[in-house]
Each structure stands twice: as structure tokens, then as C-alpha cells.
Amino acid sequence: AGGGTRAVTAPEPGSKLFGGRAAVVDLSGRIASVTLADAAQNAVLGYAGAARAGDSRLWAMAVMREYLDEAKAYAANPRDYKSRARDNDMTFADLEALAPVVQGRQPMIVAVDSAVDLRGLIRLKTDYNLNVIVLGGAEAWRVAGALAATNIPVIMDPAANLPGSYDDLGATLANAAKLQEAGVKIAFYNPDGGTTHNLRLLTQQAGNAVAHGLPYEAALAALTINPATMYGLGHRLGSLEVGKMGDVVLWDGDPLEVTTRAVAVFIDGRAMSMQNRQTRMR
């Protein structure tokens, strides 16, 4: 009812750097609502990664590299790998889950904010030829050129401008505009309440990015075609073209304004009910 048609759902990392596989789903409420299973792998570095690796960022990166190395060896010859003696506690299920990542067939979403950690992630992508997506990127504008050169997109909170830790001291409302100007593909998310509580406000956040320098068309792309492309679904979703899945939202005004609302939502060409708990209570 807020104008969203698809979402990415992913488990959060627990005690390890990796959380598990994410899926793209539609918000129709149908039983068969999975658009793309195994859409991405979910991981953390930076402060959150260090907290899972003895409070050491360097050790977190070392652990990440060890997992990727072992996953490459496993993917190359699973039978031989299983027969070898090993001195690590990595499960075969974990290594099998990482195989599409190290083979470049599946993106890895990495939550990271600081410019220093982003530089480390850029090196990781280059060394392992990974398909990496940054989640957060509060200081991404500081390394925008390097991100663009290595084709690393950023899923960001356009309203982030107050530091919450040493990782995001450089947070700025101009982040989206600076990244787009440098050629970085961007998309938006709302981290409030575990990333979903106020997801309906995403268009308003995009409007804030426009107010701080992001071109209007770029803001619309960050809500539509850009995230579809990040997950390899640009040929099916994200724009109004013949042959694509019919996700269409009609608004009663500028969708990036706070006073407008979605008046009709179509998913796969099917009209969705605009009823929700709030409308029923009213």
C-alpha cells in the first residue's frame, strides 16, 4: 500500500561474517511470491565484522579471505576437497553456499561504512573477481572514484548524516549525489527498525537525496531499475518496457514528495488491494 512491489529478504549474520543467502520476493501476499531464490550472499565487515572476529578488522578480513580461498578450492573439486585433511571448522554446506560467490555467479552484499574498510573491500573484489554490493557506505563518497572504477554499487540510506560510530564520521546528505556524479550505481534502503519498519518512506528519502543534489531521474532509478540490475533482474523488472513483469505504481502526485501517496499498485500486472491495517482502523 506504500508503493513497494518487490523486496530483498536476507538473514542477518549471527556469530559469523556471513548471514546466508538472500531472496528477491514480491509483496503480493501470494504463496508463490519468490522472484529469485539465492539472489545474493549476505556478509559484514567493518566494525560489525570486527565484532565477530576478536574485535579486529584485520582479522575479520583475514577470515573473509580464508573462507573465499576454501570455497574456491571446494568449488574446483568437491570430491577431492572432502577427502583431504583440513585444519578449519568450515562446513561443507557453508563452502557450497559460497561457491556461486567465488565463481562470480552470485553477488555478495557486504555491510560496510568507513572509507578504510571500503578500500579493503575494493581490494577483495579485485583479488577474487567478486560481484560485490555495498550495504551502507556512509563514507562511500570518499572513495567514489574507486567504487565506480571497479563497478561496485552501493545500497545506501540517503538520510544518513549523523555519525553513530567511528565508521561513519564522514556521513553526509550529499553522499548519494556525489556517488552518482562519480558513476556509482546506487539504490536506497531504510535502516530504521531493522531495515523494514519504515520501508514505505523510501520515496521520501529519495526526495531528500534530490534536495541535496541528486538528479531527479537518478533518484527514480535508485528506486526502480538500479536495484533490479544489481540482482541480475534488470531484464525482467525495474522499468516499463514490453516483455517485462508488470510492476506499476500510480501516485496522486510526485512520488518523492511527503504529501503524496500510492493510489494503485500492480504486481505482475495484477491490481493489489490497497487495504491495510491503518485503512481498516480509520
Side-chain angles (χ1 to χ4, degrees):
T5 62
R6 310 265 166 175
V8 175
T9 178
E12 291 190 3
S15 60
K16 295 185 178 181
L17 298 179
F18 298 95
R21 290 173 172 172
V24 177
V25 300
D26 71 50
L27 304 180
S28 66
R30 296 177 298 170
I31 296 298
S33 60
V34 178
T35 307
L36 179 64
D38 301 336
Q41 177 65 238
N42 192 32
V44 292
L45 283 174
Y47 175 78
R52 293 164 170 81
D55 283 332
S56 169
R57 295 171 193 260
L58 289 176
W59 183 241
M61 183 61 76
V63 171
M64 175 77 76
R65 286 178 173 270
E66 183 182 15
Y67 258 100
L68 296 176
D69 286 336
E70 295 298 317
K72 286 181 67 176
Y74 178 87
N77 193 331
R79 179 177 298 180
D80 176 68
Y81 186 93
K82 290 179 179 180
S83 66
R84 283 188 283 143
R86 298 182 300 127
D87 59 357
N88 60 60
D89 60 352
M90 301 174 190
T91 69
F92 296 139
D94 285 342
L95 298 177
E96 185 174 342
L98 285 175
V101 173
V102 296
Q103 292 169 343
R105 297 186 289 109
Q106 184 183 82
M108 182 168 69
I109 307 169
V110 183
V112 62
D113 281 306
S114 76
V116 171
D117 293 318
L118 285 165
R119 292 188 184 100
L121 183 61
I122 291 169
R123 289 193 294 272
L124 191 75
K125 172 192 168 64
T126 302
D127 291 346
Y128 290 89
N129 195 28
L130 303 176
N131 179 3
V132 170
I133 301 172
V134 170
L135 178 66
E139 292 190 342
W141 62 273
R142 287 181 164 168
V143 291
L147 290 170
T150 50
N151 195 30
I152 297 179
V154 177
I155 303 172
M156 55 168 297
D157 173 12
N161 72 319
L162 295 176
S165 70
Y166 287 109
D167 276 9
D168 53 3
L169 289 176
T172 171
L173 291 172
N175 194 14
K178 291 183 178 182
L179 288 174
Q180 191 273 337
E181 183 179 8
V184 178
K185 189 184 299 295
I186 61 172
F188 298 140
Y189 84 113
N190 188 325
D192 183 32
T195 74
T196 60
H197 180 64
N198 282 322
L199 191 62
R200 61 188 172 80
L201 301 181
L202 211 55
T203 55
Q204 296 176 19
Q205 288 183 284
N208 287 337
V210 172
H212 289 85
L214 183 68
Y216 187 90
E217 293 297 327
L220 290 180
L223 295 168
T224 54
I225 189 64
N226 286 2
T229 303
M230 289 180 189
Y231 299 106
L233 291 170
H235 63 295
R236 299 170 60 191
L237 294 166
S239 60
L240 300 178
E241 298 179 62
V242 174
K244 286 193 174 184
M245 304 168 79
D247 285 15
V248 183
V249 182
L250 302 180
W251 300 80
D252 62 3
D254 185 341
L256 305 192
E257 290 287 349
V258 298
T259 56
T260 58
R261 65 186 183 92
V263 295
V265 175
F266 299 84
I267 297 178
D268 280 337
R270 299 182 179 93
M272 297 290 108
S273 170
M274 301 302 285
Q275 286 276 316
N276 56 47
R277 182 170 180 268
Q278 285 71 28
T279 60
R280 291 190 181 99
M281 289 179 68
R282 186 172 68 232

